[in-house]
Amino acid sequence: MNTNLKESFLRLVKLGIGHYSGPIPPGTDWKAIEVLSFRQGLSAIVLDGIERMPDQARPPKELLLQWIGNTLQSYEYRYELYQRTIAELAAWHNSNGYKMMVLKGYACSLNWPKPEHRPCGDIDIWQFGKQKEADTALAKDKGIKIDNSHQHHTVFFWRDFMVENHYDFINVYHHKSSAEVEKVLKQLGKNDFHLVELYGEKVYLPSPNLHALFLLRHAMSEFASSCINVRQVLDWAFFVEKNGKDVDWDWLLRVLDEYNMREFFNCINAICVNDLGFSATLFPNVQYLPDIKERVLNDIIFPEFTAVEPKGFLPRVIYKYRRWKANGWKHKLCYKESMWSAFWSGVWNHLLKPASI
């Protein structure tokens, strides 16, 4: 692991979000910073940090201009198209009698100081239990092809954005505890939500309690199975900064304890405070093991398992088994089930939908 690169990157992120960072070490490898920033989904945030630096300490002009151009194209211009696409999608659903809740990307971006500096990828939606009916109506009305090969959502395209239409908030097919958490999320979703207007269209967003539990469980699941990035940690930090006063923390902590999620929660909060400069007063008091927290942070920035997923059915199966074994320490950190219980549940459900392997 490149400790100097890690330290420079984290200081630039803190600077980019307006937190005190300390000086950027001289001799910074700016090309490596650019690559790492892109991989972590924070090219725009790091550029914001660079713009707060003295001219003589910034990257070479040619690299900086290229970076600015890429940020305008990949972040700011695309975010505008992203919002308009969500509004169009909401307009169709509203006019056809379906409620559309937007998860993850757009919902998270609204908590960022500059929403357009959070990268936008897929559009994730949930339709209050009416997903199948809405998909059928959309395919009939618009001629849109619906992909049903995935385990907990369908997929279709609107403009050039991929839309994941969730019938479950989280993947319930590998862990029994995830199915139990899903019941909590669905119950919250039915009765507890926010409404906003986007270009005059009504869009539903998760309530603070729903969003808190969903963000944590989703990040935890991705971390345990493969990896997460610093952008996802910032999603949590900015959410708490803006909505923490509206979260029922006593309820949330009871849920986290019930499903063995407290240690991961503590590590993420510690990273927000110690490494990203957020105020400790935003978060519940946490106790964490420094060595575990540091291993979590290092894996987020430089994942321990770095093999590239191959093509072909059998090589992919072998790759996923190797990744599963390598991530055993993460599973223990995040889940109450045994690894083998989750393994056989996962195998069975992949056999039911081979395209998901």
Side-chain angles (χ1 to χ4, degrees), residues 263-317:
E263 190 169 8
F264 177 78
F265 169 80
N266 289 344
C267 287
I268 294 300
N269 289 344
I271 291 169
C272 291
V273 174
N274 296 344
D275 302 287
L276 295 174
F278 287 85
S279 171
T281 61
L282 296 171
F283 305 90
N285 291 330
V286 299
Q287 293 181 335
Y288 64 94
L289 296 173
D291 289 348
I292 297 296
K293 170 259 175 185
E294 201 61 26
R295 188 177 186 185
V296 170
L297 175 61
N298 289 338
D299 190 84
I300 290 172
I301 298 178
F302 301 110
E304 293 180 16
F305 184 80
T306 58
V308 177
E309 184 171 349
K311 296 181 180 179
F313 180 79
L314 185 58
R316 284 207 320 276
V317 170

